[in-house]
Amino acid sequence: MFSALIDIDPARLRVTARTAIASCLALGIGILIGLDHPQWAAMTVWITALPTRGQRLERSLARVAGTIAGALAGVGLMALSGNYPAGIIIGLTLWLGLCAGIGNLLTGPASYISLLAGYSAAMVALLGYGHDTSLWMLAVDRVATICLGGAVGTIVALVFSPKTQPVDISRRIQTVMHACLDHIAAGGTDRAERARLIREIAALDENLDLASAGSLRVRRQARDIRSLFSALTELLLDTPLSRDRSPVAHEGKGDLLTRLNQLASQMEADCPQRAALLKALVPLWQRANQTAEAIGPVPERHAPIPLHRDWICARYAALRSMSAVAATGLVWIATGWSLGPYMVMGAAIMTSVFSTFPNPGLQMRWVVGGSLSGASAAVLAHVFIMPMASSTGAAVLLTMPLMLFGMVVMAHRRVGLAGMEYNLIYLLMMNPNLPADPQVGHALLQAFAVLMGPVSAYLAFVALPVDARRRLDFVIRLMVHELTAMAKGAFDSPGRHRHWRLRLYHRLVMLVRWGERNGYGGDFATDGGMGTLQLGNSLHVIREMMAEGVVDARSKRALRATLLSVAYLPRKPERVEKALRRAARNLQSAYPENAARLDETAALVAANQDFFRRAG
């Protein structure tokens, strides 16, 4: 029992201790310079506490940008609503839904800025309701506290946090490049090796944001690296129709540029498609490599690759934030409760912040527990500790032990997930500038109002759930949806088809990422992705043949039936398989190459029926 209570991670405790001290420092400076809500600066230090200095700097800058946008939106919302609760709730519902949806479509700092702009508007509008303080002064105070907290947190990060070592990423990229070339030179028939390589590419893609955090130069370089990953994935998924894939001679791990050119030359005659893909890798490797200047002149940049955007998760996030804010807002309007804004504000913050987490429903259980602990500590401070203070400075010093307790909770191996919410809720309820209110009833009502926000957010995540398994299904659903659109002619132009292929490679990386978190092997994602790619290419060929009008009437009917069968792919993939085989038989005599393509596609559809059914 005692060992469970003291199950503290020493390394994590050092990090949380530095953050806690920085939080107290930001709170003290905020009081000294006369900020109205100095606790917001202390909250910012905790929120921007990330492992590396680059991440922390990036998060701090993004928080300032999002706060300014949100503060302006909050002021505008109050002006448009005339300070009426109904107008505030309607405006916040629409604004939160928009920001949460966009935040789930974007990635990196842009996503955080969008989410923060949403709930910062809620904080300005709701905390400004019913107060004589100038709304503009409240917005300025909000921005000033965020800037202060971000500055203090960044200084601490620059002094104490470890610096990211991008050279590790560079070495891993070279290693996976050599492994891919070895795989291609050997014939590309080892399915297990191909799956392993794509898993490694997915892991590298996930680490790019960490490696590039805090540096615009490295972030630009990360876009080049993702272009390289896309081309590598295309090369790994390329499967010539011929089953004879003889290995070619290769000279071990020499210079990558030399190996690419040699391998492309050796495959020029037998596998021209692979040779072309290998040649396309040369300029991408030149840009992605950290020593590009030593390699030689670099061609002009290609257009950025189209990335996967999870429209389904974005829609869920928007509806979740809108429903939680609307529900708590209706309770506030119906009851006229003076503490109602705290309830709405909590729902707005929680449904926005946690919408991008892999498993927010599970996370929200810890959030509710941590919020309950933080609110209880705040009630204790309001009723018993703050009345003993003779000044604002004394109030800070007396309540600081409860602030520092949060660092211990966060460092605990079992309950650490609740530590962040303990800190944030405690600070949210503590404003040393306010006169002490020892009334137990008022303190408990305030705690109840604050707790209703996380509880309502948790219920929203239960009603509209999202987790790693669903995210995997959402990616598959989007891929299958595009196949049905392709069968109807949505991707007939060469440019649109190329755009689809490039986005599919990035979606495959996402598939592998979510598949790994769900316990699926690499074969599930890579085989499903290959089946999707081959089916999409075959549909494009069928559309071209139909448009050219070169097939006979019987074959044309079989091809049209194949296109119509794709609508049943999520429910009856076997129907698509049969239609493809029927069309292949009709094309066998006049178009043997296309018939072989459709037969191979039918085999891939048959082998990946479980994959396609997940889109149903």
Side-chain angles (χ1 to χ4, degrees):
M1 179 68 179
F2 180 72
S3 61
L5 291 175
I6 61 171
D7 191 11
I8 305 295
D9 184 341
R12 195 185 305 171
L13 181 60
R14 286 193 292 270
V15 175
T16 57
R18 289 196 298 264
T19 307
I21 294 172
S23 177
C24 294
L25 180 62
L27 179 65
I29 294 174
I31 291 172
L32 288 176
I33 63 178
L35 295 177
D36 291 333
H37 299 84
Q39 75 273 25
W40 289 352
M43 293 170 66
T44 297
V45 173
W46 282 109
I47 293 171
T48 57
L50 293 170
T52 67
R53 63 180 67 177
Q55 285 178 298
R56 191 155 192 169
L57 175 62
E58 190 173 76
R59 176 63 66 90
S60 297
L61 294 176
R63 188 165 177 81
V64 171
T67 299
I68 292 174
L72 292 174
V75 171
L77 179 61
M78 290 293 286
L80 291 174
S81 67
N83 208 23
Y84 287 104
I88 294 173
I89 294 303
I90 293 173
L92 281 180
T93 299
L94 298 175
W95 177 252
L96 260 296
L98 177 65
C99 291
I102 294 175
N104 278 263
L105 284 177
L106 303 177
T107 57
S111 172
Y112 185 65
I113 289 172
S114 178
L115 297 175
L116 190 62
Y119 69 78
S120 288
M123 294 184 73
V124 170
L126 293 169
L127 291 177
Y129 171 76
H131 291 279
D132 296 332
T133 306
S134 168
L135 194 59
W136 279 108
M137 291 303 298
L138 179 64
V140 170
D141 183 72
R142 167 75 175 158
V143 173
T145 55
I146 298 306
C147 290
L148 172 61
V152 172
T154 300
I155 291 172
V156 170
L158 291 175
V159 175
F160 295 106
S161 299
K163 187 178 180 180
T164 306
Q165 300 296 329
V167 66
D168 295 336
I169 295 290
S170 177
R171 289 175 181 173
R172 289 177 63 187
I173 291 171
Q174 294 187 43
T175 301
V176 78
M177 280 282 290
H178 279 296
C180 287
L181 294 184
D182 290 341
H183 175 72
I184 299 305
T189 57
D190 189 342
R191 292 173 64 251
E193 175 64 6
R194 183 188 64 205
R196 186 193 71 79
L197 290 171
I198 293 179
R199 285 200 303 271
E200 178 65 17
I201 290 173
L204 281 168
D205 182 85
E206 192 169 11
N207 289 334
L208 277 180
D209 288 333
L210 174 64
S212 61
S215 171
L216 292 177
R217 179 186 62 81
V218 181
R219 187 165 290 279
R220 284 194 296 268
Q221 189 181 48
R223 291 199 293 267
D224 294 334
I225 294 173
R226 284 197 167 95
S227 296
L228 176 68
F229 289 165
S230 178
L232 277 176
T233 307
E234 182 177 11
L235 183 63
L236 291 171
L237 290 186
D238 171 56
T239 52
L241 293 175
S242 173
R243 295 295 181 181
D244 300 325
R245 304 172 190 167
S246 302
V248 298
H250 62 288
E251 301 180 357
K253 291 178 172 53
D255 176 68
L256 269 170
L257 189 60
T258 303
R259 290 197 67 193
L260 281 169
N261 288 320
Q262 287 179 348
L263 199 55
S265 299
Q266 291 170 343
M267 291 188 168
E268 189 75 48
D270 297 331
C271 301
Q273 183 178 350
R274 284 197 171 189
L277 292 174
L278 285 165
K279 290 179 180 178
L281 279 173
V282 172
L284 293 173
W285 167 247
Q286 286 178 308
R287 286 195 300 273
N289 186 23
Q290 286 190 339
T291 57
E293 295 82 3
I295 294 175
V298 178
E300 292 183 3
R301 294 176 180 271
H302 295 291
I305 60 171
L307 300 179
H308 164 70
R309 305 295 184 193
D310 199 337
W311 290 94
I312 301 176
C313 271
R315 186 167 64 245
Y316 270 49
L319 291 174
R320 194 183 299 115
S321 291
M322 293 173 71
S323 60
V325 171
T328 51
L330 286 174
V331 173
W332 173 36
I333 294 170
T335 61
W337 188 21
S338 61
L339 296 174
Y342 284 94
M343 177 175 57
V344 182
M345 183 173 61
I349 295 173
M350 299 301 177
T351 53
S352 297
V353 171
F354 291 99
S355 62
T356 57
F357 279 50
N359 194 350
L362 177 62
Q363 182 78 20
M364 284 302 300
R365 299 176 189 176
W366 290 101
V367 168
V368 172
S371 300
L372 178 61
S373 301
S376 301
V379 170
L380 176 66
H382 272 295
V383 175
F384 298 106
I385 299 178
M386 287 186 67
M388 294 188 296
S390 57
S391 64
T392 300
V396 172
L397 292 175
L398 287 173
T399 58
M400 198 169 287
L402 289 175
M403 290 176 58
L404 296 175
F405 178 70
M407 71 181 188
V408 181
V409 179
M410 288 191 69
H412 198 279
R413 290 188 175 91
R414 302 190 186 186
V415 299
L417 289 175
M420 178 64 79
E421 298 314 311
Y422 168 88
N423 294 320
L424 297 183
I425 295 298
Y426 176 75
L427 287 169
L428 179 65
M429 294 180 61
M430 297 300 300
N431 188 346
N433 286 329
L434 297 177
D437 185 0
Q439 296 182 10
V440 178
H442 183 268
L444 290 175
L445 281 175
Q446 185 184 20
F448 177 76
V450 170
L451 284 173
M452 284 302 297
V455 170
S456 61
Y458 174 69
L459 294 176
F461 279 106
V462 171
L464 292 170
V466 63
D467 51 30
R469 179 183 63 81
R470 288 180 174 85
R471 291 184 189 275
L472 174 68
D473 292 343
F474 291 163
V475 178
I476 297 174
R477 193 180 303 172
L478 288 168
M479 293 167 67
V480 172
H481 172 74
E482 288 188 345
L483 289 175
T484 59
M486 188 176 296
K488 298 175 182 178
F491 296 87
D492 280 356
S493 68
R496 287 279 290 158
H497 185 67
R498 176 64 177 167
H499 186 276
W500 167 79
R501 284 173 63 96
L502 291 173
R503 186 164 55 198
L504 179 65
Y505 301 138
H506 188 249
R507 281 184 172 159
L508 176 60
V509 170
M510 303 303 296
L511 265 183
V512 171
R513 184 181 301 176
W514 293 118
E516 289 290 313
R517 294 186 179 184
N518 280 279
Y520 292 97
D523 287 345
F524 174 81
T526 55
D527 290 350
M530 178 171 289
T532 303
L533 175 63
Q534 187 74 1
L535 180 54
N537 289 337
S538 296
L539 292 174
H540 188 66
V541 169
I542 290 174
R543 295 285 308 181
E544 285 183 335
M545 295 179 69
M546 297 273 292
E548 293 172 359
V550 296
V551 295
D552 57 79
R554 182 179 178 185
S555 298
K556 193 171 186 178
R557 286 195 298 271
L559 293 177
R560 184 180 292 111
T562 301
L563 294 176
L564 294 174
S565 70
V566 178
Y568 298 91
L569 183 62
R571 292 167 289 165
K572 298 179 179 179
E574 66 277 4
R575 183 166 176 171
V576 179
E577 177 203 353
K578 293 177 181 177
L580 285 166
R581 295 197 186 279
R582 191 181 305 112
R585 288 194 298 269
N586 281 278
L587 296 174
Q588 186 63 52
S589 58
Y591 302 96
E593 185 177 347
N594 287 338
R597 176 190 291 275
L598 297 187
D599 263 332
E600 183 166 344
T601 304
L604 286 171
V605 172
N608 293 283
Q609 291 189 35
D610 291 340
F611 178 89
F612 292 118
R613 282 197 175 97
R614 292 187 75 101

